[in-house]
Amino acid sequence: MKIGELSKLTGVSVRSLRYYEQQGLITPTRLENGYREYHKFTVEEVNTIKFYLSLGLSTDQISSFLHCVLKNNETFCTEVLPIYKEKLEEIDKQIQMLTNIKSNLEERIRSFNVEIYNKKELEHDHEKYS
Amino acid sequence: MKIGELSKLTGVSVRSLRYYEQQGLITPTRLENGYREYHKFTVEEVNTIKFYLSLGLSTDQISSFLHCVLKNNETFCTEVLPIYKEKLEEIDKQIQMLTNIKSNLEERIRSFNVEIYNKKELEHDHEKYS
DNA sequence: ATAAACGATAACATTAATGTTAGGGTCAAT
DNA sequence: ATTGACCCTAACATTAATGTTATCGTTTAT
């Protein structure tokens, strides 16, 4: 199949398919006219790539083990586990950072509410004593 | 004071100070020779900018309320609260995404452990029955 | 044979703050 | 007057996957 069909079947843009090829993730053959020709099982490969990208892995990381996981159960590929662990640490750090910022933001937002409360108190006092 | 001194006092690089100026966050005067001249209270301003940047706000967002918060208590600046709330939603979404990925990663990592366990079982069986 | 649909390559754009480098002025001390 | 420490502007680089556009060749249907 040609690139347009693969794109439709996978939902991955033609541009991205060419990029994956450039990154060494897929290697189509060429027809006489220069068009890329893909095997039908490339659909599965591209879906696998999509999955790993959705885990936040880079094309570089994916390329380091894709060859293996396309043939074996993932758990047989020793390259994968360290990458997962590395990514997990990275994500934990990010969550930690975001959580800190979130706390700060919530605290600042709370101080606005306190301010509004103070203003209402003032109005109330005004009524009470006027 | 000149830019080098401001940089030392705030820990913000000269490059970044010029960038903040370009974004309209600070507006030094110029000496006759073209050098930027900063008031001493600019140190406080830059520290304020640093703080808002650390909350993940963009220079664009900061510039929309910096003028106000430099003169008043932040809670008097009506522009700030919506920006905080917007940022908070954005961060919640990011945390949600990262948490999802984290779950997926942990599940995949777990399946490696199961696999190792199975392998050990095999060895064990091998001993047992050999 | 012409037009529409598809394919190819190549290059630039996106985001946002910051680093780096190049090519110059300025100033103070020697 | 030379040196070193500053300052200036301007421009390119960084990250990574994807979008966009330009220019061109190919195929297919009319």
Side-chain angles (χ1 to χ4, degrees):
Chain A
M1 83 185 70
K2 282 174 295 187
I3 200 165
E5 193 182 350
L6 180 61
S7 172
K8 268 170 206 150
L9 291 176
T10 59
V12 171
S13 73
V14 167
R15 174 68 174 89
S16 292
L17 291 173
R18 295 200 185 109
Y19 177 71
Y20 297 163
E21 176 182 347
Q22 190 190 319
Q23 299 306 109
L25 298 179
I26 48 182
T27 46
T29 57
R30 296 289 181 137
L31 298 175
E32 284 184 358
N33 58 16
Y35 288 13
R36 289 169 176 82
E37 172 71 10
Y38 299 91
H39 292 278
K40 62 177 184 296
F41 57 68
T42 309
V43 174
E44 184 60 29
E45 291 189 20
V46 172
N47 283 331
T48 302
I49 293 168
K50 277 174 70 177
F51 169 76
Y52 286 118
L53 283 175
S54 80
L55 285 182
L57 300 187
S58 67
T59 55
D60 242 32
Q61 291 174 314
I62 297 170
S63 79
S64 74
F65 61 69
L66 184 64
H67 187 69
C68 177
V69 300
L70 285 177
K71 307 194 196 165
N72 308 286
N73 181 313
E74 185 190 73
T75 56
F76 285 116
C77 305
T78 55
E79 309 96 321
V80 178
L81 188 55
I83 290 178
Y84 277 172
K85 288 187 169 170
E86 189 184 340
K87 188 72 196 174
L88 193 56
E89 278 185 31
E90 184 187 327
I91 287 185
D92 278 336
K93 272 183 199 155
Q94 290 174 351
I95 290 177
Q96 187 56 54
M97 284 209 58
L98 289 173
T99 304
N100 286 342
I101 293 177
K102 179 176 164 145
S103 299
N104 287 335
L105 281 171
E106 284 171 338
E107 176 55 31
R108 312 284 287 192
I109 289 174
R110 212 171 298 129
S111 69
F112 275 87
N113 294 333
V114 169
E115 195 57 36
I116 288 166
Y117 177 77
N118 288 343
K119 283 183 196 151
K120 285 195 177 149
E121 279 292 293
L122 276 177
E123 287 171 28
H124 188 248
D125 290 359
H126 189 65
E127 285 171 28
K128 198 156 57 176
Y129 298 112
S130 65
Chain B
M1 85 185 65
K2 283 175 295 190
I3 200 165
E5 193 182 351
L6 181 60
S7 172
K8 267 170 206 152
L9 290 176
T10 59
V12 171
S13 73
V14 167
R15 174 68 175 86
S16 292
L17 290 173
R18 295 198 186 111
Y19 177 71
Y20 297 164
E21 176 182 347
Q22 189 191 321
Q23 298 307 109
L25 298 180
I26 49 183
T27 47
T29 56
R30 294 290 179 136
L31 298 174
E32 285 184 359
N33 59 16
Y35 288 12
R36 291 170 176 80
E37 172 70 10
Y38 299 91
H39 292 278
K40 64 177 183 296
F41 56 70
T42 308
V43 173
E44 185 59 30
E45 290 190 21
V46 171
N47 284 331
T48 302
I49 293 169
K50 276 174 71 177
F51 170 74
Y52 287 117
L53 283 175
S54 80
L55 285 182
L57 300 187
S58 66
T59 55
D60 242 33
Q61 292 174 314
I62 296 170
S63 78
S64 74
F65 62 68
L66 184 64
H67 187 70
C68 178
V69 301
L70 285 177
K71 306 194 198 166
N72 309 284
N73 181 312
E74 184 190 75
T75 56
F76 285 117
C77 305
T78 55
E79 309 96 320
V80 177
L81 188 54
I83 290 178
Y84 277 173
K85 288 188 169 169
E86 190 184 338
K87 188 71 195 175
L88 193 55
E89 278 185 32
E90 185 187 326
I91 287 185
D92 278 337
K93 272 183 200 155
Q94 290 174 351
I95 291 178
Q96 187 56 55
M97 283 209 58
L98 289 174
T99 304
N100 285 342
I101 292 178
K102 178 177 165 143
S103 300
N104 286 337
L105 281 171
E106 285 170 339
E107 175 56 32
R108 313 283 286 192
I109 289 173
R110 210 172 299 130
S111 70
F112 274 87
N113 293 334
V114 169
E115 193 58 36
I116 288 165
Y117 176 78
N118 288 344
K119 281 184 198 152
K120 285 194 180 151
E121 279 292 292
L122 276 177
E123 286 171 28
H124 187 249
D125 288 1
H126 188 64
E127 284 171 27
K128 195 156 60 177
Y129 298 114
S130 65

